[in-house]
Amino acid sequence: MKAAVGQQNVVTKAADCWPYGYDNSRRHQLPAAVIFATSEEQVSSVISACNQFQISLVARGRGSGTTGAATAIDGGVVISLERMEQIIKVDPDNRLMVVQPGVTNQAVQEAAAVHGFFWPPDPTSSAFCTVGGNLAYNSAGPRAVKYGTPRDNTLGLRAITASGKSIKTGVSTSKGVVGYDLTRLLIGSEGTLAVITEATLKLTPLAESKRTLRAIYRDVECAARAVARIMAQPTTPCALEFIDGAAIEMIRSYSNAELPDHAGALLMIEVDGSESYLQHAVEAIIEAASVEGVVEIHAARDSNEVAALWATRKALSPALRKVAPKKINEDVVVPVSQLPALITGIETLAERHQITIINFGHAGNGNIHVNLLINPDDPEQVARAEQCLSELFDLVLSLDGTLSGEHGVGLEKRDFIDREVDTNSLALMHQIKQTFDPNNILNPGKTIPPLSDSSGASDSGE
Amino acid sequence: MKAAVGQQNVVTKAADCWPYGYDNSRRHQLPAAVIFATSEEQVSSVISACNQFQISLVARGRGSGTTGAATAIDGGVVISLERMEQIIKVDPDNRLMVVQPGVTNQAVQEAAAVHGFFWPPDPTSSAFCTVGGNLAYNSAGPRAVKYGTPRDNTLGLRAITASGKSIKTGVSTSKGVVGYDLTRLLIGSEGTLAVITEATLKLTPLAESKRTLRAIYRDVECAARAVARIMAQPTTPCALEFIDGAAIEMIRSYSNAELPDHAGALLMIEVDGSESYLQHAVEAIIEAASVEGVVEIHAARDSNEVAALWATRKALSPALRKVAPKKINEDVVVPVSQLPALITGIETLAERHQITIINFGHAGNGNIHVNLLINPDDPEQVARAEQCLSELFDLVLSLDGTLSGEHGVGLEKRDFIDREVDTNSLALMHQIKQTFDPNNILNPGKTIPPLSDSSGASDSGE
């Protein structure tokens, strides 16, 4: 390893390795070593060595994932890609950008903005998280409702497979159908198939302007109905965020946002486009959002007000962590017309299991962050939360939804995915894993349940 | 087979099987039998039987593909899905539609339009071609420049793998990251991995209105520069079609379109959006399209004029077939900024090899249909055309392009794809094929070059 990347780029002392044992799931596993790669060749050498000696290897950006996917569960080695942070090319004429995996999402946005473009994926952690991580999890954010996820916004990749071999997937063009789609197979595979060393990102022109609206509702059911109605009409918002009453109360304690008393739920709605279009768009949104139970719809007057609204929304996750450091944060998705049923179902679950649940999220995609606030030192409460979560997943699947919209699977949901993915598909996924990684060295144990456990995985979750 | 689908749904007489031996590549191979399936269960039974007896099976929609992918090269069996033409669900509230594979593209568009939506993929053959075929080839059309291809517009699939097992891939929501992306792996795989039995299509709201512009240029290089300039500014057209001078001359003979004399090239540019937005959009497009060498830019005054323009564009392929029934029609793609270099390069190739070449296509994606007009009875000319094609592919790849934008690989390009796809990726594709289809019964010999030939494939093409 030291020969491959240079002695100064390998750390093995426990104290040095410690911070690379975490991700944002609050799981921690001390890796045996952390290797800082700065080139594709180094990544290849490191993987080849791991493959030869059957050492497990976890690729890692900045560790802001929430599922444990970036933790080295069996004391393997972590390869940190944070030093591969070059923006190789910004090519506005072809609406693309070529970057190394360690570049932050924000650096991509800034480099693209100079030319009037942006890259749509925008996780809340965009100032910190890396593009490599965004691709590994297929992470999105508010803009996905109009502009899609990394799978919709990536043209091609370079990667190193588990045998240390380099592959180039996809194209540098906006169309291409030669061979199987390895690009999207790698995106969302959480470092279990290959390590991404370069990405060709598809850029989108920045809209000329935006309008931000805040709508307050009597209760969450009314807000959920408004979301479904907004998405059923043709003016697609570029953000449609949902915050429930309990979350609003929390925001009061952490920000100066002026919020009416007794707000049962809040929507933040953003539309973008040309100035001439926006007047029309705002009218269409207000019309659709004005369901029975609406208390107030307010268009932000200036950029300060817009910034305050987004600061409010983005403060939610950190605020929740302060209140409940061991909260369980799910990111389930249902078809938008099923949002009212989901919200009602969650209320029933919260009551039945006596768990405080706070909901917010990217409602335009039907993607709700369901936060179970628990005291981890109370085993009885933890058991209730686990039961509640299991029933939540069943509820989501009964509504034709999916267990994760953007956080991914990692370890957190691995033992639940056989409730969603059929046995035949899971078997194919295992075979694909084996094709890319015959010795099971790349992030082993993540994303798909181990075959031997798969028959019992459902039980262990229930 | 007869037990699986009923005696009346299996034909074996040569005369009955004959029409199912063609596709639009003008290749023909008589299949041993044609089976008309009407349900997923039947597809599964047929595949299981083929797998058991190691009979090769080619899934087929309406046979409008251009690469030979739907022909049964080794006298295998064809499974026709044209009778699985049910629209199972139109769900405008969730912006989706569930269909069987045999439904035509146009039927999808009509069913969606009732609710104010459309499905973006729109091959020229949309009135006839099936969604199953669109998915198998990842076929697109003019709208892809703004709205993407099937991979961008499909949420999930049901399919039967080569062992006859049913799988359900993807989600019913606009976001989802559970497990590997089997949906997009199947899309574009040309029936070599599984047979698609149902698709959940993502719908997009129909734009309020459209404007269509026609721009005439002195020569193709000027037009190519205009395309690059249009795509480098933020107003993305919903169609940006290119027709070269030779094609314009041909259109004169086949339509009543009024075209100025000595037009070197023509662009058809369409923008869509709200009425209030379009004025601005048209101005932006005219500004960008007004490069040196522009002769005239004309906005269509009414729907008749728009219809005439599109009729002109859509008449091109059939007109070319009349002039040159054995024309070679390629659909290469380059980054749009490389279009001028591609067009210049093609002119050089045409001259060097003394081949008449006509170019048109979806220029906004850099996707050009390069038509080599040849007399198939002139072996010397055929040899020159083959050499010309080989050099065209090298040119495209040297410009960072791809060999196919929407037609796919099938047999026509199979022996060239190792010039584009690296050896390691090809090996992975072979292994993926083996994972889904261990007995190599599903459309064998298509899409990826046989392993044993792969070292020599490049030579055979040169």
Side-chain angles (χ1 to χ4, degrees):
Chain A
M1 297 293 178
K2 286 177 181 170
V5 298
Q7 187 152 357
Q8 75 285 9
N9 292 321
V10 179
V11 301
T12 51
K13 282 187 197 154
D16 296 335
C17 291
W18 194 263
Y20 292 85
Y22 284 112
D23 73 1
N24 199 12
S25 67
R26 293 176 181 262
R27 289 173 185 257
H28 186 266
Q29 292 286 337
L30 186 66
V34 180
I35 299 158
F36 299 90
T38 55
S39 72
E40 186 177 287
E41 292 67 35
Q42 288 184 355
V43 174
S44 173
S45 302
V46 168
I47 295 183
S48 294
C50 287
N51 196 38
Q52 189 184 342
F53 298 107
Q54 306 217 7
I55 300 164
S56 77
L57 183 73
V58 181
R60 182 186 172 88
R62 295 287 197 91
S64 55
T66 63
T67 66
T71 61
I73 42 173
D74 57 354
V77 168
V78 161
I79 184 165
S80 169
L81 301 162
E82 65 196 309
R83 296 185 190 171
M84 287 180 72
E85 54 181 343
Q86 252 190 290
I87 292 176
I88 296 164
K89 179 164 80 171
V90 187
D91 182 356
D93 287 356
N94 294 307
R95 298 187 168 194
L96 63 83
M97 190 162 168
V98 181
V99 301
Q100 289 188 323
V103 67
T104 65
N105 183 292
Q106 185 166 303
V108 165
Q109 308 302 351
E110 285 168 1
V114 171
H115 303 277
F117 289 86
F118 70 106
W119 189 53
D122 60 337
T124 306
S125 55
S126 59
F128 184 74
C129 63
T130 66
V131 168
N134 299 168
L135 296 170
Y137 298 109
N138 195 35
S139 314
R143 291 195 293 231
V145 64
K146 182 167 179 178
Y147 295 106
T149 69
R151 281 192 183 126
D152 304 306
N153 292 286
T154 306
L155 300 176
L157 300 172
R158 292 185 63 90
I160 305 291
T161 66
S163 53
K165 286 181 179 162
S166 163
I167 58 173
K168 184 177 170 297
T169 75
V171 287
S172 299
T173 53
S174 53
K175 259 173 148 179
V177 285
V178 171
Y180 301 146
D181 188 349
L182 301 184
T183 305
R184 291 173 177 94
L185 188 61
L186 294 189
I187 296 176
S189 68
E190 303 185 350
T192 62
L193 300 180
V195 175
I196 294 169
T197 53
E198 188 182 293
T200 302
L201 309 178
K202 179 181 171 188
L203 300 181
T204 300
L206 279 165
E208 190 185 304
S209 199
K210 274 187 195 174
R211 293 281 186 285
T212 308
L213 301 165
R214 191 186 73 182
I216 306 277
Y217 295 88
R218 188 181 61 215
D219 54 44
V220 286
E221 288 79 9
C222 295
R225 279 200 306 277
V227 169
R229 217 164 138 225
I230 292 166
M231 291 308 293
Q233 55 86 50
T235 304
T236 306
C238 63
L240 177 42
E241 298 290 300
F242 167 84
I243 302 174
D244 78 2
I248 293 171
E249 290 308 314
M250 192 167 303
I251 292 168
R252 281 186 208 280
S253 324
Y254 289 87
S255 86
N256 302 320
E258 285 173 40
L259 292 162
D261 287 342
H262 312 300
L266 179 156
L267 295 181
M268 273 187 59
I269 315 161
E270 212 158 56
V271 283
D272 64 358
S274 66
E275 275 295 344
S276 54
Y277 162 74
L278 286 176
Q279 181 58 34
H280 158 88
V282 166
E283 282 164 21
I285 293 290
I286 290 178
E287 158 76 24
S290 299
V291 298
E292 194 267 315
V294 68
V295 175
E296 166 199 309
I297 303 182
H298 170 78
R301 279 170 299 245
D302 55 37
S303 58
N304 287 339
E305 234 180 287
V306 171
L309 276 172
W310 277 108
T312 301
R313 167 65 183 84
K314 295 217 169 188
L316 255 176
S317 268
L320 270 170
R321 282 215 179 280
K322 279 196 197 162
V323 176
K326 291 276 184 180
K327 67 168 174 131
I328 300 172
N329 174 11
E330 288 310 328
D331 76 315
V332 296
V333 194
V334 294
V336 284
S337 73
Q338 299 286 16
L339 274 175
L342 176 67
I343 295 294
T344 309
I346 290 172
E347 284 182 341
T348 307
L349 288 177
E351 202 167 317
R352 186 189 307 153
H353 298 287
Q354 306 260 301
I355 304 274
T356 303
I357 300 184
I358 288 186
N359 300 299
F360 62 95
H362 316 302
N365 291 110
N367 188 191
I368 300 293
H369 295 291
V370 180
N371 292 270
L372 283 64
L373 307 192
I374 55 162
N375 172 5
D377 301 327
D378 178 348
E380 196 268 335
Q381 195 186 39
V382 169
R384 274 187 284 125
E386 281 173 3
Q387 180 59 28
C388 179
L389 208 58
S390 172
E391 291 176 25
L392 168 68
F393 290 156
D394 286 341
L395 169 67
V396 164
L397 294 174
S398 76
L399 297 172
D400 212 13
T402 177
L403 300 187
S404 179
E406 56 184 17
H407 289 175
V409 173
L411 293 169
E412 293 289 329
K413 284 184 189 167
R414 189 194 67 181
D415 296 334
F416 294 100
I417 81 163
D418 65 352
R419 297 192 197 178
E420 174 170 344
V421 181
D422 61 79
T423 314
N424 296 330
S425 296
L426 270 181
L428 287 170
M429 290 177 191
H430 270 288
Q431 288 177 276
I432 290 170
K433 165 71 174 166
Q434 189 144 25
T435 290
F436 280 80
D437 182 15
N439 291 321
N440 195 28
I441 59 154
L442 289 181
N443 213 1
K446 312 292 173 61
T447 301
I448 40 179
L451 260 188
S452 51
D453 294 343
S454 95
S455 63
S458 177
D459 297 336
S460 75
E462 278 175 352
Chain B
M1 297 291 178
K2 286 177 180 171
V5 300
Q7 187 151 356
Q8 74 285 9
N9 292 321
V10 180
V11 300
T12 51
K13 284 186 197 154
D16 296 334
C17 290
W18 194 263
Y20 292 85
Y22 283 112
D23 72 2
N24 201 12
S25 67
R26 293 179 180 260
R27 289 173 185 257
H28 186 266
Q29 291 287 338
L30 186 66
V34 180
I35 298 157
F36 298 90
T38 56
S39 71
E40 186 177 288
E41 291 67 34
Q42 289 183 357
V43 174
S44 173
S45 301
V46 169
I47 297 182
S48 294
C50 287
N51 197 38
Q52 190 184 340
F53 299 105
Q54 306 217 9
I55 300 164
S56 77
L57 183 72
V58 181
R60 182 185 172 90
R62 296 283 198 93
S64 55
T66 62
T67 66
T71 61
I73 42 173
D74 57 354
V77 168
V78 162
I79 183 165
S80 169
L81 301 164
E82 65 195 310
R83 296 184 189 172
M84 287 181 71
E85 54 181 345
Q86 252 189 291
I87 291 177
I88 295 165
K89 180 165 78 172
V90 187
D91 182 356
D93 288 355
N94 294 306
R95 298 187 170 196
L96 63 85
M97 190 161 167
V98 181
V99 301
Q100 289 188 324
V103 67
T104 64
N105 184 293
Q106 184 166 303
V108 166
Q109 308 302 351
E110 287 169 0
V114 171
H115 302 277
F117 288 86
F118 71 106
W119 189 54
D122 61 337
T124 306
S125 56
S126 60
F128 183 74
C129 64
T130 65
V131 168
N134 298 168
L135 296 171
Y137 298 110
N138 197 35
S139 314
R143 290 196 294 232
V145 63
K146 181 167 179 179
Y147 294 107
T149 70
R151 280 192 184 127
D152 305 306
N153 291 284
T154 307
L155 301 176
L157 300 171
R158 293 185 63 90
I160 304 290
T161 66
S163 53
K165 286 182 180 165
S166 163
I167 58 173
K168 184 178 171 296
T169 74
V171 287
S172 300
T173 53
S174 52
K175 260 172 147 180
V177 285
V178 171
Y180 300 147
D181 188 349
L182 301 185
T183 305
R184 292 173 177 94
L185 188 62
L186 294 189
I187 296 175
S189 68
E190 302 186 349
T192 61
L193 299 180
V195 175
I196 294 169
T197 53
E198 188 183 293
T200 301
L201 309 177
K202 179 181 169 187
L203 300 181
T204 299
L206 280 165
E208 191 185 305
S209 200
K210 274 187 194 176
R211 291 283 185 284
T212 307
L213 301 166
R214 191 187 73 182
I216 307 276
Y217 295 87
R218 188 180 62 215
D219 54 42
V220 287
E221 289 78 9
C222 295
R225 280 201 305 277
V227 170
R229 215 164 140 228
I230 291 166
M231 292 307 294
Q233 55 85 50
T235 303
T236 306
C238 64
L240 177 41
E241 298 291 300
F242 166 84
I243 302 174
D244 77 3
I248 292 171
E249 290 310 314
M250 190 166 303
I251 292 169
R252 279 185 208 281
S253 324
Y254 289 88
S255 86
N256 302 321
E258 286 173 39
L259 291 164
D261 287 341
H262 313 300
L266 180 156
L267 295 181
M268 274 186 58
I269 315 162
E270 212 158 57
V271 282
D272 65 358
S274 66
E275 274 296 343
S276 54
Y277 162 75
L278 286 175
Q279 182 58 35
H280 157 87
V282 166
E283 283 165 19
I285 293 290
I286 291 177
E287 158 76 24
S290 300
V291 298
E292 192 266 317
V294 68
V295 175
E296 165 199 309
I297 302 183
H298 170 78
R301 279 169 298 246
D302 55 37
S303 57
N304 288 340
E305 233 180 288
V306 172
L309 276 172
W310 276 109
T312 302
R313 167 65 184 84
K314 296 217 167 188
L316 256 176
S317 268
L320 270 171
R321 282 214 179 280
K322 279 194 197 165
V323 176
K326 292 277 185 181
K327 68 167 174 130
I328 299 173
N329 174 11
E330 289 308 328
D331 76 314
V332 298
V333 195
V334 295
V336 285
S337 72
Q338 300 286 17
L339 274 174
L342 175 68
I343 295 293
T344 310
I346 290 173
E347 284 181 341
T348 307
L349 289 177
E351 203 166 316
R352 185 189 307 154
H353 298 287
Q354 305 259 301
I355 304 273
T356 304
I357 299 185
I358 289 186
N359 300 300
F360 61 95
H362 316 301
N365 291 110
N367 187 192
I368 299 294
H369 295 291
V370 180
N371 292 270
L372 283 64
L373 308 191
I374 54 162
N375 172 5
D377 300 327
D378 178 347
E380 196 268 333
Q381 195 186 42
V382 169
R384 274 187 283 123
E386 280 173 4
Q387 181 60 29
C388 179
L389 208 59
S390 172
E391 291 177 25
L392 169 68
F393 290 156
D394 286 341
L395 169 66
V396 165
L397 294 174
S398 77
L399 297 172
D400 212 12
T402 177
L403 300 187
S404 178
E406 55 185 17
H407 290 175
V409 174
L411 293 169
E412 293 289 330
K413 285 185 188 166
R414 189 195 65 181
D415 296 335
F416 295 98
I417 81 163
D418 64 351
R419 298 193 198 178
E420 174 170 344
V421 181
D422 60 81
T423 313
N424 296 330
S425 295
L426 270 181
L428 286 170
M429 290 178 191
H430 270 288
Q431 288 178 275
I432 290 170
K433 165 71 172 165
Q434 188 144 25
T435 291
F436 280 80
D437 182 15
N439 291 321
N440 195 28
I441 60 155
L442 290 180
N443 214 1
K446 312 293 174 59
T447 302
I448 40 179
L451 260 187
S452 51
D453 295 344
S454 93
S455 62
S458 179
D459 296 337
S460 74
E462 275 176 355

